[in-house]
Amino acid sequence: MTGILGRIRPWLLPEPFPEGNHYPLPEGLYPFHRQMGDEHVRYHLRVDEGGPAILIAAASEAVLLSPAGAAAAKALLEGQSIDQVVQRLPVPDAAQVAADVADTLVDLGKSNVRYPIFNLADPAFHERPWHLTAPLQADVEVSSELVAREIVSRLWDARIPHVRFIVTPRSDRELIAKMVVFAEDLGMVAGVRAPNAYWLDSETIRRLAEAGLDYVVHPWGITPEWHDQLYGRGDYEQFCRAVTELRRWEVTPAAVAPLLPKDRERFPMALSDIEKLGVHHLEVFAIADPRPSHAVPTERPDRAFQSQELRQVAAWFEDLANQRRMRIVWLPPHALAPSATTEQTARMGPRTAGDLSVRIDTEGRVIPPRGTDHATGNVLFDPWPAIWNQPDFRHLRDRIAVNTRCRECTGAAVCAADCPAESAFWVFP
């Protein structure tokens, strides 16, 4: 099976269950740690009301589990043997269920070339689309420790297992380190998206590593010349040094790159360069011009993509990703604002880490991963179900739950979330 279902499999295990048994598991978010060879893997098992559970490994891949599968996964992650799980699992074919889940735990924990999560099912192939009750990640801006702690606590209460702190050049390094400690103590996966490599001096990396930081996302300009033009003179060299330092402290280095037409020819070789450096996770957002093609100048070397180009670009990107031992994520395209240059748009970075993420600003306002930059509620004051059922989020879930593939579809997995050429569903400033 190809496409997203080859990477995120719907495990629909035997049901129903005997009355009066303690299965299914209570709703909640269950964090686990497990040693896989030389690697330390973090799992989160999220049990939502009225649907299958989600098992997430390393905040990057997931499978859907039935209540029986969720119970088996929890028991195995708690250290029970397969035989113990079989004895306690009150379902037909318990042995097969336990064995399948055990294999899944091993498979999800392996380093591989599959995409991180950006969607849970492609409706073109999947007969039972399922709506999430909350996103899997929040990209959080930080200014006040008190407010940020409350935001992160409420995200955890909403069973969101992964937080990425969005850093600006003026962000207080000590405050970011404190927030990493706070999130890690709750059981969350915690990452940081840096504004440039200079923010990550050796002392900052040491502090963040000692705080328990899981990963850092650096902006990456693809070529040294364009990188330094975007993020400051000498920043590419500092980026290389920071990656080496992060690896020394066993913090995962990742990168996020703006993509323009001028980058396509050089992109494969540049990927090889950062792969050799030790970067094995990359997020990419194409910058596109929402104007009609006849109104877009094509002679500028730094021009944005035209909408009709993005179908082929997405297919090319996916083929490139499949040839690499890297996790490479296609983020929703970002629209070029009428008064902005591609350089300014590139420097801003993406809004979120994908369709299963949300942006939270410093005051708790929740911003969807696509569309215009507007709040759909406030995590500090509004109950999460009320936020998640706002029209913007309902519309996004409805789009994901139906077949949005067009007649010109190239078959790219990213089209499951929405056609990349459809500008109405880009990210707008």
Side-chain angles (χ1 to χ4, degrees):
M1 185 175 294
T2 59
I4 191 168
L5 293 188
R7 296 183 296 276
I8 301 175
R9 294 159 295 179
W11 289 86
L12 303 174
L13 303 177
E15 305 180 62
F17 308 105
E19 292 292 333
N21 199 282
H22 63 281
Y23 297 114
L25 295 174
E27 296 174 45
L29 184 59
Y30 303 88
F32 300 95
H33 297 256
R34 185 174 180 178
Q35 196 71 26
M36 294 289 295
D38 295 332
E39 296 186 20
H40 186 71
V41 181
R42 301 181 66 178
Y43 295 87
H44 287 83
L45 179 64
R46 190 169 93 183
V47 181
D48 292 332
E49 181 182 8
I54 311 172
L55 176 63
I56 307 162
S60 63
E61 293 188 282
V63 291
L64 304 184
L65 297 172
S66 73
K74 182 174 183 291
L76 290 167
L77 288 167
E78 287 174 341
Q80 295 184 35
S81 67
I82 291 181
D83 288 342
Q84 289 174 314
V85 174
V86 171
Q87 292 172 8
R88 299 174 185 178
L89 197 62
V91 296
D93 301 324
Q96 186 63 53
V97 171
D100 284 346
V101 173
D103 289 344
T104 299
L105 291 174
V106 173
D107 188 47
L108 285 181
K110 291 178 180 177
S111 298
N112 52 60
V113 299
R114 295 172 294 186
Y115 284 92
I117 307 162
F118 64 92
N119 193 1
L120 285 178
D122 184 342
F125 303 104
H126 193 236
E127 296 177 356
R128 296 181 62 181
W130 175 58
H131 295 317
L132 286 171
T133 60
L136 300 184
Q137 177 179 327
D139 292 31
V140 177
E141 302 171 16
V142 179
S143 62
S144 159
E145 181 178 354
L146 184 64
V147 174
R149 280 175 173 264
E150 186 64 22
I151 289 172
V152 172
S153 295
R154 289 176 181 260
L155 293 174
W156 178 255
D157 291 342
R159 300 194 286 277
I160 297 173
H162 182 178
V163 61
R164 177 181 295 182
F165 296 110
I166 306 300
V167 174
T168 71
R170 297 182 180 181
S171 292
D172 185 317
R173 290 168 170 82
E174 188 62 34
L175 172 57
I176 299 300
K178 287 181 179 179
M179 292 311 306
V180 169
V181 170
F182 183 74
E184 293 281 347
D185 286 348
L186 287 175
M188 302 178 87
V189 171
V192 162
R193 194 180 92 195
N196 51 48
Y198 276 112
W199 192 86
L200 285 166
D201 55 54
S202 295
E203 177 61 18
T204 300
I205 291 174
R206 181 191 66 79
R207 283 188 196 176
L208 293 173
E210 292 177 348
L213 185 70
D214 292 295
Y215 67 91
V216 172
V217 179
H218 300 80
W220 176 55
I222 301 176
T223 65
E225 300 77 18
W226 181 235
H227 181 105
D228 283 357
Q229 185 174 334
L230 289 174
Y231 308 114
R233 184 177 179 180
D235 194 77
Y236 189 88
E237 288 187 8
Q238 179 60 23
F239 162 75
C240 296
R241 287 194 291 268
V243 169
T244 301
E245 188 76 1
L246 286 165
R247 294 183 66 201
R248 187 173 75 83
W249 282 96
E250 298 183 347
V251 176
T252 300
V256 59
L259 185 66
L260 296 171
K262 69 179 182 65
D263 300 317
R264 284 192 62 177
E265 183 176 342
R266 294 173 289 183
F267 193 71
M269 184 173 295
L271 270 184
S272 298
D273 290 340
I274 64 165
E275 192 173 9
K276 292 174 185 175
L277 188 63
V279 176
H280 300 291
H281 178 109
L282 174 66
E283 299 170 2
V284 177
F285 63 102
I287 299 174
D289 197 317
R291 293 177 296 175
S293 57
H294 63 81
V296 178
T298 58
E299 68 279 359
R300 291 178 58 92
D302 61 345
R303 72 174 180 90
F305 286 104
Q306 299 179 34
S307 60
Q308 67 269 21
E309 293 179 283
L310 289 179
R311 293 187 187 91
Q312 293 299 326
V313 170
W316 163 80
F317 177 86
E318 190 165 304
D319 288 342
L320 191 63
N322 289 334
Q323 298 167 13
R324 303 277 172 164
R325 289 203 59 80
M326 296 179 72
R327 288 190 171 111
I328 308 181
V329 191
W330 172 274
L331 301 180
H334 281 52
L336 185 68
S339 59
T341 64
T342 52
E343 183 175 334
Q344 291 169 330
T345 304
R347 194 178 292 116
M348 287 175 59
R351 181 184 297 171
T352 70
D355 283 319
L356 296 185
S357 301
V358 293
R359 183 73 170 250
I360 312 286
D361 72 9
T362 57
E363 297 181 6
R365 290 187 289 257
V366 181
I367 303 165
R370 293 178 184 252
T372 58
D373 186 357
H374 68 283
T376 57
N378 192 303
V379 73
L380 295 174
F381 308 113
D382 302 323
W384 186 258
I387 297 172
W388 198 234
N389 285 302
Q390 288 293 313
D392 290 282
F393 284 118
R394 286 206 312 270
H395 183 65
L396 176 64
R397 292 197 300 275
D398 288 346
R399 291 287 296 179
I400 290 175
V402 300
N403 183 4
T404 54
R405 295 181 180 274
C406 65
R407 292 181 180 179
E408 300 173 71
C409 186
T410 58
V414 298
C415 298
D418 225 313
C419 175
E422 180 53 70
S423 63
F425 301 101
W426 295 349
V427 178
F428 284 83

